[in-house]
Structures are given as structure tokens and as C-alpha cells.
Amino acid sequence: MDYKSSLIQDGNPMENLEKQLICPICLEMFTKPVVILPCQHNLCRKCANDIFQAANPYWTGRGSSVSMSGGRFRCPTCRHEVIMDRHGVYGLQRNLLVENIIDIYKQECSSRPLQKGSHPMCKEHEDEKINIYCLTCEVPTCSMCKVFGVHKACEVAPLQSVFQGQKIELNNCISMLVAGNDRVQTIITQLEDSCRVTKENSHQVKEELSQKFDTLYAILDEKKSELLQRITQEQEEKLSFIEALIQQYQEQLDKSTKLVETAIQSLDEPGGATFLLISSCLSFCLPHSIVEASKGCQLGKTEQGFENMDFFTLNLEHIADALRAIDFGTAEEGESVESRKQWLQ
């Protein structure tokens, strides 16, 4: 608490000092003993105990034979969370410096003469101090107003008693508000923790789900490669067989074609002797070639449907149905999910 800088800024040091010595709970000057919180703010120990009890209604009081762990409350000035040990507010350190300043301040005030303007005066009777409270009109007034003025027929009470009563009521309201704020803050903290845990759990199950689907993808890719390899192997075997047949037939065709060309050329010979010489050779080759040609028709052939590859057809409808039916958990777990959804609604 920087008293020096505050006093320098204000033209009336005593008034500013009094503002620095006001408890934020009871709005009065600190009542000894004064305790200092870990955040360096000060409270009357009674006020600190009031808000501590309001925030921890089930805490076992001082002197109980039951050993309990300390509770917690929030500083009314900065909202810093103060954690208590088993002694409660009696475990907080007293601020002897503030208590000494209060004593010095009170001594200084008592040694000074009371100024006329230091006490509110009645507007109707300028020389009369406001010293009573009109309960009927709910306003402070002076004795002359009660005897001769507008509050003559009203019910009044001593100003100090009403003042103390309203301050106590306000103090109670402040304590309840502080306690309520602490409870709300606790709920907010719990909900924030719940959000964090929910995100962490969601991330974890997403990772697990992705790994399982990656495994399925790998199995499908492996099986796909295996089946494609089998089709390729069958294709190569059939093509090799067909290409071998084509080569055999092509060789037979080439031989027969050459023989035909030779025979046609012999027909073009004008001389009988030359023709007979050629025809004698042809008469020897032709029967043999004709026999070979007839054998060529008996070379290997492909059977009907040889080109068909339908036996590699797959029926994956049942597997596709199984994949579409993939879902989380069992039927009982599904019911529990639905119940959670209803709870959230």
C-alpha cells in the first residue's frame, strides 16, 4: 500500500489517509486485528472470517476437535484466490504496520478541533446537525425537523442505530455476493476443466479411430495388389499361349506362301523344257507341302471362352454392407449415448 504517493497527490493528507484505511468489506476503517492477504491487500480479521465462512459453510471452526483442511476464498479487491490452512483466517499474518497507522491516525484526529463542515448539516435548519433518521420517510434529518418541521408526525430513530443496522445489512449483502461470486467462479473453473478434458478425450478417440481406418486401408490395398497380380499372371499366361500359336501358324503360312509364288512363276515359263524341270521339282515339293498345310490346320487352338476372365469376379456386397454398418460400441453403449444426449438437452 503506497501511502506516501497517495498523500502527496491529495491536498488533504488526513482525508486521503482515511480512504487508504477503509476495509473493502465493511467500508469502515480497519478494525484490529488487521490481516494481510498473500496478494498484499488488507482486511479486518472479522470481515475476512465472514467472507471465509460464507465461501466455506461446512468448514469446521477454530477450536474444533475435528482436524480439517483449510478452505479458500477470493480477495474482494483483486479476486486473487486465498488458500487457507486448517487455522482458517487465524492463520493469516497480522499487519502491525497498518494497525499502528490506524492508532496514529485516531490520535491525530482526536487532537484536532471538530470543524463545522465535517458533519452534514440540515438544509432547513442550517445550524442543526443531522442526528436522527426518519423511518417513515427513510431520510436522515435533524431534531428540529422532528419537533417543529416536516417530520413532526413521523417515526424516527437514532441516526447511529440506523447507521449501524444498515451497515451490517450491507456488509451481509456484500458477504453473500462475494460468496456467490466465489461459487460461480468455482463452477466456471469446473466447466473450463470439463471443456479441456472433453477436447483431450475427443482428440484421443479421433487418433485411435484414424489408426484403425488406416489399418483397414492398408489391408484393402494389400489385398487389391494381390488380386491384381493374380489377374496379371493369368493374362500373361494366356497371351503367351496365343502368341506361340500365332508364331506357329505364321511360320506355316510363310512356307505355303513361298511355294505358291514358286508355282505361279513356273506357269509363266514359255519353254517346255524349263517348265518341266521346274514342275518336276514342284511335283516333288507340292505333295509334301500340301500334307504340311493340312497338318497346319491341326495345330493348337484356343477353346471357346478362352479369352473370358469372368472367374476373377468378386462379390463384395456383404463386405460393403459390413463397412457401412461400422459404428461406435454395442447396442447397450448406443443406448447410453442416446441417454447422454437426452441429458444434455
Side-chain angles (χ1 to χ4, degrees), residues 14 104-114:
M14 293 302 291
I104 295 172
Y105 174 81
K106 289 182 177 179
Q107 291 175 4
E108 180 67 19
C109 289
S110 62
S111 63
R112 290 190 175 192
L114 182 64

Side-chain angles (χ1 to χ4, degrees), residues 112-182:
R112 290 190 175 192
L114 182 64
Q115 299 179 1
K116 183 177 180 180
S118 63
H119 191 93
M121 308 301 287
C122 179
K123 293 182 180 180
E124 298 294 331
H125 308 90
E126 296 180 355
D127 294 331
E128 293 291 328
K129 297 179 181 180
I130 294 178
N131 55 4
I132 59 175
Y133 187 83
C134 178
L135 300 175
T136 305
C137 301
E138 297 183 349
V139 292
T141 185
C142 70
S143 301
M144 294 299 292
C145 288
K146 169 60 180 172
V147 177
F148 304 106
V150 294
H151 301 288
K152 183 176 181 180
C154 297
E155 181 181 358
V156 297
L159 186 66
Q160 192 64 22
S161 63
V162 177
F163 165 69
Q164 292 296 335
Q166 290 193 3
K167 290 195 72 172
I168 292 173
E169 182 180 355
L170 179 59
N171 184 37
N172 293 336
C173 291
I174 292 173
S175 298
M176 288 188 292
L177 287 174
V178 170
N181 290 343
D182 287 342

Side-chain angles (χ1 to χ4, degrees), residues 4-12 16:
K4 185 175 180 180
S5 60
S6 300
L7 295 177
I8 292 174
Q9 294 173 3
D10 200 307
N12 193 332
N16 195 63

